[in-house]
Amino acid sequence: MPRLLKFIGVLLLALGVLSGLGYWALARTTQSWFEADLSLRSRLAVTAAHESLINHWRSDPTRLAQTLADITRDERIMAAAACSNKGERLASTQTFPLAFSCTGLMNELQERRTTGAWDTKSQLPAGAVHLSVIPLDDGTLRLGAVVLVHDLSFLEHREETARDLLLIAFFVLALVASLVTLLAARLAWRGWTLDLRRALTGQVGPDFKPLLRDVRELAARLADERRQEVRAGAWSAARLRATLTEHLHGERIVILANREPYVHQRVDGEIRVLHPASGLVTALEPVLRACSGVWVGHGSGSADRETVDAKDRIRVPPGEESYSIRRVWLSEAEEQGYYYGFANEGLWPLCHVAHARPIFRAEDWQHYVNVNRRFAHAVCDEVDTDDPIVLVQDYHFALAPKIIRERLPRATIITFWHTPWPNSERIGICPWREELLSGLLGSSVIGFHTQQHCNNFIDSVDAFMESRIDRETNAIVQGPRRTLVRPYPISIEWPVHWLAQVPSVEESRRLVRSELGLDADALIGVGIDRLDYTKGIEERLSAVDELLSRHPEFRGRFTFVQLAAPSRTKIARYQELNERVEALSIEINAKWSKGRYRPIALLREHHEPTTVFRYYRAAELCYVSSLHDGMNLVAKEFVAARSDERGVLVLSEFTGAARDLTEALIVNPYDLREASDALAAALRMPDVEQGERMRSMRRLVSDFNVYRWAGRMLVDAAELRRKERLSGRIRDSRHSQPGALT
Ligand code: G6P
């Protein structure tokens, strides 16, 4: 109600202002109309008396005065005078004001050099008057002019009357408007409350039915989800397994990903099992450990062939053997064209805004097509039903979903793209953009880390493919098939199983400092990456340099440890990066070294997860400075490692993780001042603040862990599968009915 009163107040004010403006405009217009009217009347009066005026002009002043008196019978004409050209007053009515002299008026008329009448306004003590000076001629010569004086007091009177009327109109209007507003508000309120009451009691009008049905369905779904969430508890390996059994009846899953989770490598004559540095592996391995199934990947280790069975399979993890890896072998030429060439010199730079030019070669593309086919067939060989669940991973396999779909039309294919998906203009650079999109559209569901990447994908399909885009459900429809496009932000397992093998925070701090030859109270920052140009390693080291130059208190005290796993080393751009990073750390070390102190420790080799987690635990801060990154799981791993709720994450705003981990110090890695200030702020941050930030991020990562990521995708896939099975049955039953429309 107070709002309504305010509204009425504003309404009245607006009406008042409008009326004022209206009154002013009206007064001006009517005045100019009245004056034009007076001028016209004067000329008419003089024209009517023209003959009599000429006849008596000089000859008979009495008759001339009489004629002037006749003219003033018009109720508006107050007085009249006849003036000669020389300014003599030949005759006038008695009422003619003395203030006006014929001499002055005739001089004025002459100065104006006008042949027509001249009108002016003047103010007399008795009120305003209007003067019309109308020249008079006998057809050949000008005789003089007739001056008519009009009383304007009636005008003032009219204006007053108009103002009064307008005021009354304003009050009436304001009153009516307020009453109507009050009435409308009451009726609307009553209508809404009635509708709401009816809605709540289930009796609604036809207009509200669809809306309310949607609202009720949504509310029921949310309540149901909430109930399930509460009942099921936090997402864990066990819950993911239960989800698979409940929604997909315990079916196995088949993962297709180029990088295998366990690589058998011959080192010094012995076979060693390595865990590759790959965000994809970090995320997916726990998923497959939780569910049973097969991981189809490239057998890239030097001892991989020795360790598989006759069908190129091996049970993993060692000692646990809960799932299989099916290894696919690639020739050197295939690996060069498909992996190094098209995937990593073409698609990788295409998908990342990191200033590396994509290189597309026709030979590489041909290998990419053939290798996708080989892997897709390997997947089809691994399934044991005609409608399996296949999880296709990343940019190595854009064509595989379509090939799998051709062999297994009823398969549920979930494709997850681990890198960003660029905008449609950028995707347009790729000479085989249509083939890539068409390959991906063989999927049932395509997942990206963010909604932005989903939008970019849909726009790319819109730009280059024949299809219908259902923007309401974020689906792409091609003939009878739909592909859902959804964001599923990836995460890590919780708790991280490696932590069981990692020393406590205190012990890790001590060990790492002693390994690096640092003082016990040295401050440490860590960066952990593959040596990849998208990770912003050069910018990171430069930010350390900037920190030391702008914040001298950290010189001799702060060491940044960069663990850099060599990656894709056959590619020129990666070799160049390796050299530049090395040169830069030498340069920065030369600048700030003192005695034993070195500000940068660059450890360029493969590090096993237990080492990585020891460094996370030992550090004061972790700096993730990617120039562009789909998610970046290093950021989440650092948070998971810090069970002591200490340590600060400095995180690039260009990572998907920056959307989840908002309590990190978010920076633009290109802005060295900002980044170095963030590093300084991290090193100075009080324990209490570190604790608050870390607790909040740990809560988020533990809730939104990788089991939830996988679970959500599987539940969506299961729902889609149910719908497809149902519509398949409906189609089949239609076909079997004689004469049924198809
Ligand atoms: C990124 C990609 C993964 C890849 C990983 C390591 O995270 O999205 O697909 O496995 O880098 O790269 P690599 O070429 O060694 O597999």
Side-chain angles (χ1 to χ4, degrees):
M1 214 54 177
R3 258 195 203 178
L4 190 66
L5 288 177
K6 255 191 219 166
F7 173 74
I8 291 175
V10 173
L11 188 76
L12 290 178
L13 194 72
L15 276 172
V17 172
L18 280 177
S19 305
L21 284 173
Y23 168 70
W24 176 79
L26 192 71
R28 287 202 55 134
T29 315
T30 49
Q31 194 172 333
S32 70
W33 283 350
F34 287 145
E35 283 173 11
D37 188 30
L38 287 181
S39 171
L40 188 69
R41 286 174 92 130
S42 313
R43 256 163 282 158
L44 279 176
V46 172
T47 311
H50 188 255
E51 213 173 317
S52 170
L53 287 168
I54 297 172
N55 289 345
H56 309 303
W57 192 254
R58 284 254 172 218
S59 53
D60 191 344
T62 319
R63 302 283 295 273
L64 184 61
Q66 185 55 50
T67 308
L68 293 175
D70 288 346
I71 291 175
T72 56
R73 281 214 188 100
D74 184 305
E75 62 168 323
R76 303 268 177 267
I77 303 174
M78 189 177 118
C83 301
S84 74
N85 282 332
K86 289 183 185 154
E88 307 149 276
R89 187 188 295 183
L90 302 177
S92 66
T93 57
Q94 282 177 354
T95 48
F96 194 80
L98 293 174
F100 302 126
S101 76
C102 275
T103 323
L105 291 170
M106 292 312 284
N107 283 346
E108 182 95 11
L109 191 66
Q110 259 159 24
E111 266 168 35
R112 289 178 179 272
R113 294 178 195 286
T114 171
T115 49
W118 160 57
D119 291 279
T120 185
K121 249 174 94 175
S122 190
Q123 189 66 39
L124 295 179
V129 293
H130 177 102
L131 278 185
S132 292
V133 183
I134 303 154
L136 189 81
D137 59 56
D138 61 0
T140 46
L141 281 175
R142 178 192 275 194
L143 303 177
V146 177
V147 181
L148 301 183
V149 182
H150 306 268
D151 179 10
L152 281 186
S153 63
F154 79 96
L155 244 187
E156 280 163 12
H157 178 68
R158 272 191 188 182
E159 277 173 14
E160 268 165 28
T161 315
R163 194 178 53 223
D164 292 350
L165 282 175
L166 212 73
L167 272 177
I168 294 169
F170 158 65
F171 277 119
V172 171
L173 200 68
L175 203 68
V176 171
S178 308
L179 285 174
V180 168
T181 311
L182 268 172
L183 206 67
R186 279 199 81 87
L187 286 177
W189 176 248
R190 185 177 299 170
W192 272 100
T193 45
L194 267 178
D195 282 330
L196 194 64
R197 217 172 290 152
R198 271 194 265 141
L200 292 174
T201 51
Q203 339 146 8
V204 284
D207 291 353
F208 281 93
K209 269 185 182 155
L211 176 67
L212 278 164
R213 196 177 45 240
D214 287 353
V215 172
R216 272 209 217 102
E217 272 175 22
L218 181 69
R221 213 172 54 231
L222 287 176
D224 196 38
E225 272 180 22
R226 183 81 204 122
R227 263 196 303 278
Q228 279 183 17
E229 288 285 318
V230 171
R231 210 180 325 124
W235 276 95
S236 62
R239 181 166 168 201
L240 181 63
R241 247 189 322 269
T243 303
L244 196 66
T245 324
E246 187 188 331
H247 293 269
L248 296 156
H249 313 296
E251 285 147 297
R252 312 176 327 141
I253 55 175
V254 180
I255 289 181
L256 170 60
N258 175 74
R259 182 62 63 203
E260 54 180 346
Y262 296 93
V263 181
H264 288 84
Q265 203 75 24
R266 198 162 269 287
V267 185
D268 303 329
E270 269 182 34
I271 295 179
R272 296 248 299 265
V273 183
L274 298 184
H275 305 87
S278 157
L280 178 154
V281 171
T282 304
L284 277 161
E285 204 275 333
V287 171
L288 208 43
R289 228 171 331 113
C291 315
S292 63
V294 186
W295 183 305
V296 178
H298 171 212
S300 58
S302 54
D304 272 359
R305 281 182 195 260
E306 298 169 51
T307 45
V308 291
D309 65 13
K311 293 191 166 165
D312 298 327
R313 293 187 192 130
I314 178 169
R315 297 290 291 171
V316 286
E320 203 179 301
E321 278 93 39
S322 51
Y323 68 94
S324 302
I325 296 179
R326 157 75 192 275
R327 286 177 173 151
V328 175
W329 316 111
L330 296 179
S331 69
E332 213 173 295
E334 280 175 329
E335 192 180 359
Q336 179 58 46
Y338 142 81
Y339 172 76
Y340 288 108
F342 193 75
N344 284 314
E345 284 189 285
L347 291 181
W348 180 264
L350 180 74
C351 292
H352 291 92
V353 180
H355 327 295
R357 201 185 186 124
I359 301 172
F360 294 112
R361 304 181 194 93
E363 323 75 90
D364 291 349
W365 168 250
Q366 208 42 60
H367 279 301
Y368 187 82
V369 173
N370 294 340
V371 170
N372 264 255
R373 199 171 295 133
R374 288 193 49 208
F375 273 96
H377 288 312
V379 166
C380 296
D381 294 344
E382 290 301 322
V383 304
D384 48 15
T385 73
D386 69 342
D387 58 355
I389 297 168
V390 182
L391 306 187
V392 177
Q393 304 301 307
D394 229 355
Y395 60 99
H396 308 90
F397 295 120
L399 308 181
K402 187 176 178 184
I403 306 169
I404 299 171
R405 166 92 40 226
E406 278 160 9
R407 261 187 72 178
L408 299 165
R410 287 158 61 86
T412 299
I413 305 171
I414 305 173
T415 299
F416 192 79
W417 196 264
H418 291 254
T419 74
W421 185 274
N423 64 29
S424 60
E425 266 178 58
R426 203 170 158 91
I427 255 321
I429 294 172
C430 178
W432 299 281
R433 63 206 179 189
E434 285 89 357
E435 286 87 338
L436 291 177
L437 291 166
S438 158
L440 286 168
L441 290 178
S443 318
S444 320
V445 180
I446 302 182
F448 295 93
H449 293 297
T450 66
Q451 184 60 51
Q452 179 63 51
H453 300 156
C454 294
N455 297 347
N456 286 350
F457 179 78
I458 292 176
D459 290 348
S460 308
V461 171
D462 200 13
F464 301 113
M465 303 298 290
E466 284 289 328
S467 58
R468 185 169 72 74
I469 292 172
D470 180 346
R471 298 216 179 243
E472 204 171 318
T473 57
N474 273 348
I476 291 157
V477 187
Q478 284 189 313
R481 286 212 52 260
R482 293 174 85 77
T483 301
L484 304 181
V485 182
R486 295 278 148 85
Y488 301 100
I490 207 166
S491 195
I492 55 171
E493 62 177 332
W494 190 280
V496 175
H497 75 285
W498 295 111
L499 285 173
Q501 302 167 43
V502 177
S504 68
V505 172
E506 267 317 301
E507 184 60 5
S508 295
R509 288 177 66 87
R510 201 188 54 73
L511 282 172
V512 165
R513 279 165 182 73
S514 101
E515 274 165 32
L516 295 170
L518 299 174
D519 294 343
D521 63 347
L523 301 171
I524 290 184
V526 287
I528 295 178
D529 311 81
R530 285 180 305 106
L531 249 175
D532 193 297
Y533 53 84
T534 60
K535 304 294 178 187
I537 300 173
E538 289 166 87
E539 286 73 7
R540 190 180 308 169
L541 299 183
S542 299
V544 173
D545 183 20
E546 187 81 2
L547 167 82
L548 298 177
S549 72
R550 297 183 56 238
H551 302 276
E553 66 198 270
F554 298 115
R555 292 178 199 163
R557 285 190 66 209
F558 176 68
T559 298
F560 192 82
V561 190
Q562 177 64 51
L563 272 60
S567 178
R568 306 171 192 168
T569 46
K570 288 191 184 167
I571 297 175
R573 184 71 178 80
Y574 286 79
Q575 292 162 5
E576 200 184 296
L577 174 79
N578 180 34
E579 284 159 20
R580 282 184 8 200
V581 166
E582 183 177 21
L584 188 59
S585 36
I586 290 173
E587 188 189 316
I588 298 172
N589 278 342
K591 194 164 161 190
W592 302 110
S593 289
K594 208 169 179 191
R596 275 172 48 227
Y597 171 70
R598 302 272 176 288
I600 308 277
L602 178 62
L603 309 179
R604 273 175 305 163
E605 61 198 322
H606 173 78
H607 293 92
E608 280 291 282
T610 45
T611 310
V612 168
F613 277 95
R614 195 168 67 243
Y615 273 83
Y616 286 139
R617 286 194 154 172
E620 266 67 39
L621 66 89
C622 173
Y623 183 19
V624 173
S625 57
S626 304
L627 305 182
H628 200 192
D629 218 327
M631 174 54 70
N632 192 292
L633 294 182
V634 165
K636 294 190 176 178
E637 282 183 335
F638 175 65
V639 169
R642 301 313 298 253
S643 46
D644 60 333
E645 298 175 349
R646 292 290 176 278
V648 181
L649 176 63
V650 182
L651 180 58
S652 158
E653 62 181 290
F654 307 121
T655 58
R659 288 160 203 251
D660 292 349
L661 304 175
T662 46
E663 282 79 14
L665 300 183
I666 308 286
V667 297
N668 173 352
Y670 292 95
D671 185 342
L672 297 183
R673 253 173 182 259
E674 184 189 68
S676 61
D677 283 348
L679 293 176
L683 293 172
R684 291 183 192 127
M685 192 180 287
D687 278 2
V688 179
E689 185 179 346
Q690 289 186 34
E692 276 168 9
R693 288 175 184 265
M694 192 50 90
R695 256 192 304 284
S696 159
M697 291 193 284
R698 282 173 66 80
R699 242 191 330 266
L700 186 124
V701 180
S702 73
D703 284 352
F704 291 80
N705 57 37
V706 78
Y707 303 115
R708 182 189 172 110
W709 171 81
R712 293 253 149 172
M713 289 201 303
L714 291 176
V715 169
D716 285 354
E719 196 163 325
L720 196 80
R721 209 159 132 121
R722 259 195 308 277
K723 281 186 186 154
E724 279 181 357
R725 280 184 178 158
L726 194 67
S727 64
R729 273 208 295 277
I730 294 168
R731 260 201 310 277
D732 292 350
S733 68
R734 278 207 199 124
H735 285 302
S736 61
Q737 280 171 30
L741 289 174
T742 56

